[in-house]
Amino acid sequence: MGYARKEVVRLMGRAVHRQAMLKDGDHVLVAVSGGKDSMAVLWLLRERLKRVPISYRLTAVHVDPGFGGDSAGMLRDFFVGHDFEHRIIRTDIGPRAHSPENLENPCFLCARLRRKILFDAAGELGCNLLAFGHHRDDVIETFLLNLFYGGSISTMLPVQRFFDGRITVIRPLYEVPETHLSRYAREMGWPRVELACPSAGSSKRREIKELLAALQRANRKIKGNIFHALHNVRVDYLPPAS
């Protein structure tokens, strides 16, 4: 097992344990976009079953955004080839989010519509958990996005309950840096799945990612310090909410 894989397994295991994300009998819908992060979550959650004294069920779900790419076909081949229980959902949410009436923020609407579909699918499949592939860098970037563009101090949570606890979102990669996941994905040799999104590479998140990369080049502790700060909030030194 290579270093990157060991670190991803270790950090994911720590997050799952610390946050008590999984218990015996859970049914987990794993949202698989085709990116390295969501494929890693699916693969590692199944591998974990060999090492833990509990059992849970995994169902991979891919929401095809409808941009005209072959993500649905490629992921169906991947799921079938590796014997994953799965469902493919074809939609038109991508073109709808990029319509002329919504050019200002297509990523926000696309993500919101995709999440609604995933919640509905979780209910239909009887899944009590919905697992996303968000990693440590996503948590940091979301914090800065909300700070700079949303006017709030907030970010993704490792565990978040919805609908009076009927469905719980978990993020097993919460503590894993993106660099580790990139190396791990290369080691695994997974196929590159393209969604053909016209906004890829030009979003606000991309701007934040580039800003962080520039800061990181000057100080390698920048990302770690931001992540640590999110867990070291000194409420007494913040003004009251307005």
Side-chain angles (χ1 to χ4, degrees):
M1 184 185 293
Y3 172 77
R5 186 173 180 179
K6 286 181 181 177
E7 278 298 283
V8 171
V9 169
R10 181 182 71 83
L11 291 170
M12 190 188 90
R14 187 170 74 180
V16 169
H17 177 71
R18 281 179 172 176
Q19 303 294 334
M21 293 185 186
L22 292 161
K23 64 182 185 301
D24 192 54
D26 282 336
H27 185 181
V28 189
L29 186 159
V30 184
V32 181
S33 65
K36 63 184 182 305
D37 317 319
S38 58
M39 293 177 79
V41 165
L42 178 65
W43 195 273
L44 291 168
L45 284 178
R46 186 166 72 175
E47 277 194 347
R48 187 175 179 273
L49 283 166
K50 303 171 186 176
R51 304 189 303 273
V52 296
I54 63 171
S55 178
Y56 48 83
R57 178 180 170 192
L58 301 172
T59 301
V61 174
H62 172 63
V63 178
D64 180 348
F67 287 119
D70 191 31
S71 63
M74 292 182 69
L75 284 171
R76 180 179 289 108
D77 290 345
F78 178 82
F79 297 147
V80 171
H82 295 286
D83 198 28
F84 283 108
E85 181 180 339
H86 67 279
R87 176 178 289 190
I88 306 290
I89 303 174
R90 295 183 180 273
T91 75
D92 64 348
I93 61 175
R96 283 166 57 196
H98 286 77
S99 65
E101 295 79 20
N102 191 55
L103 291 179
E104 186 175 342
N105 201 350
C107 297
F108 174 80
L109 180 57
C110 190
R112 189 176 71 178
L113 293 173
R114 176 174 170 269
R115 179 165 295 200
K116 181 182 184 305
I117 290 169
L118 289 168
F119 276 126
D120 289 345
E124 292 170 10
L125 292 166
C127 300
N128 62 307
L129 298 179
L130 171 53
F132 287 115
H134 299 126
H135 46 68
R136 192 184 74 163
D137 289 62
D138 288 323
V139 175
I140 295 166
E141 291 160 13
T142 299
F143 167 68
L144 294 179
L145 279 167
N146 291 342
L147 182 67
F148 294 163
Y149 300 111
S152 71
I153 296 178
S154 59
T155 190
M156 299 172 174
L157 298 177
V159 176
Q160 191 170 10
R161 290 169 178 80
F162 293 88
F163 313 116
D164 297 322
R166 291 194 299 276
I167 298 176
T168 299
V169 166
I170 62 173
R171 296 183 169 93
L173 301 180
Y174 182 81
E175 297 189 24
V176 182
E178 185 175 18
T179 51
H180 290 10
L181 285 166
S182 296
R183 295 188 191 114
Y184 172 58
R186 286 195 296 270
E187 288 178 12
M188 297 301 292
W190 290 322
R192 185 178 178 84
V193 179
E194 298 289 351
L195 299 179
C197 173
S199 294
S202 60
S203 65
K204 292 296 184 187
R205 185 172 291 276
R206 172 56 59 182
E207 293 177 13
I208 293 294
K209 192 178 287 290
E210 291 173 356
L211 171 63
L212 282 167
L215 293 170
Q216 189 82 358
R217 284 194 290 272
N219 183 347
R220 293 175 60 188
K221 295 182 179 180
I222 287 290
K223 290 183 183 180
N225 285 343
I226 296 173
F227 189 74
H228 177 69
L230 290 170
H231 302 84
N232 187 34
V233 179
R234 299 184 179 183
V235 179
D236 292 344
Y237 289 86
L238 290 173
S242 58

